Amino acid sequence: MKSIASAPAKIILFGEHFVVHGTKAILAAIDKRVTVTTTLTHTGTLKINSELGTLEIPISSSYKEAKSEFRPFIFLANKMINSNQNVNGLEIMIDSDIPIGVGLGSSSACCVAAAASISELFKELSSEEILNLSIEAEKTIFPDTSGADCTICTYGGMIEHPSIEKIDSTFDLNLLIANSMIPHSTKNSVEKVSKFKENNEERFSQLCDLENGLIDEVITAMKNNDATTFGLKMSENQKYLEEIQVSNDTLRDMISSLNEISLGSKITGAGDGGCVIALVKDENMDKAPALLPKDKECFSAKIDTKGVVRSTIEE
Ligand code: MEV
């Protein structure tokens, strides 16, 4: 039997980093996906195939000794196998069109799709159960995760975190994503922000209050069909991200270039590299590539409404 599940990439529109320290955030799923296919085998092994490499280990091996990119899959496979003693082997294939390590949620989407794909072979889980499993899996590589990324990859659409309330946009969100092509480590950036918090407790607490207030204003702006305020709030949020030092010259230059054709722009995700997003008027979309250095990639993103999708095939 074979089980196939896919999950979307994500962007954080507002609230990255602060969300790790308890603030609200607004996230959206976008139209790029990872697909995980799991097959029951008789090899006595767990085999994982992805663009990052192949691993084949005895079925009961611990995730702790494996390279970090394989850990969530081994963790999920172990969890399912432990409660289903008659499983002899599993093969997990990962196919993705989400760029890795640039803030678009590749690792969270993998955890969600893998949790759905592996579990579906044994038991039908609710979306909430898949989400909880995927967060546990993500914690094998990033223990401090806020869980916001796995949440949007599970439910899709646009949501406020942590309430998981769906947000309907009253205007067309023409979002441009520009990749700085600088890889980053979310874990390292989050640790850096925690140090900033330790050294600047009072200011960090003020910034958290400002972020929560800003998100309330964004929700009101969306209800009022007010794209201009939405864009201005993106740029205001960027100032907070500059202050906690997750930006750099490359990202600042990209943001300032994109500001020429957008209503607002900012880092999305952990920063220190990765991607920036801009709210761009339709007629200006084609102008973006010429404004950015030649080594940067950009594309327009559509909101994905489906979230995690699963199916099984009897063989
Ligand atoms: C990373 O996509 C978002 C961060 O806020 C970390 C997290 O929420 O776990 C930086």
Side-chain angles (χ1 to χ4, degrees), residues 59-199:
I59 190 89
S60 53
S61 307
S62 157
Y63 70 86
K64 289 185 182 139
E65 281 113 57
K67 278 192 183 164
S68 66
E69 57 265 34
F70 294 118
R71 274 185 219 156
F73 304 103
I74 304 172
F75 169 86
L76 289 165
N78 282 345
K79 201 148 178 136
M80 289 299 145
I81 290 162
N82 287 343
S83 45
N84 297 276
Q85 299 298 339
N86 51 351
V87 179
N88 184 269
L90 280 183
E91 181 166 350
I92 301 170
M93 287 263 303
I94 302 130
D95 245 315
S96 180
D97 59 10
I98 309 175
I100 295 170
V102 294
L104 298 181
S106 156
S107 133
S108 305
C110 274
C111 290
V112 170
S117 168
I118 299 169
S119 64
E120 194 78 1
L121 285 175
F122 305 102
K123 192 178 171 212
E124 196 176 321
L125 299 185
S126 67
S127 300
E128 195 186 343
E129 286 170 318
I130 288 174
L131 171 60
N132 291 337
L133 208 48
S134 65
I135 293 175
E136 271 189 81
E138 187 167 51
K139 284 187 174 170
T140 64
I141 42 175
F142 173 31
D144 295 331
T145 177
S146 67
D149 289 7
C150 283
T151 306
I152 191 65
C153 296
T154 302
Y155 293 108
M158 195 185 333
I159 58 164
E160 188 181 320
H161 187 82
S163 66
I164 321 188
E165 262 171 53
K166 287 250 171 202
I167 303 171
D168 288 318
S169 172
T170 46
F171 49 86
D172 266 347
L173 277 173
N174 286 315
L175 289 165
L176 182 103
I177 300 181
N179 186 347
S180 69
M181 310 302 278
I182 305 170
H184 65 180
S185 152
T186 301
K187 187 168 174 279
N188 292 350
S189 301
V190 166
E191 278 167 13
K192 193 169 80 173
V193 172
S194 290
K195 291 225 169 68
F196 177 92
K197 180 184 174 183
E198 261 168 54
N199 297 331

Side-chain angles (χ1 to χ4, degrees), residues 2 19 65 147-148 155 165 187 190 223 233 248 260:
K2 196 181 254 194
V19 70
E65 281 113 57
Y155 293 108
E165 262 171 53
K187 187 168 174 279
V190 166
K223 284 187 185 138
K233 295 293 158 193
N248 59 35
E260 288 177 32

Side-chain angles (χ1 to χ4, degrees), residues 218-232:
V218 170
I219 302 279
T220 308
M222 291 186 95
K223 284 187 185 138
N224 294 341
N225 199 12
D226 179 359
T228 307
T229 300
F230 188 100
L232 285 172

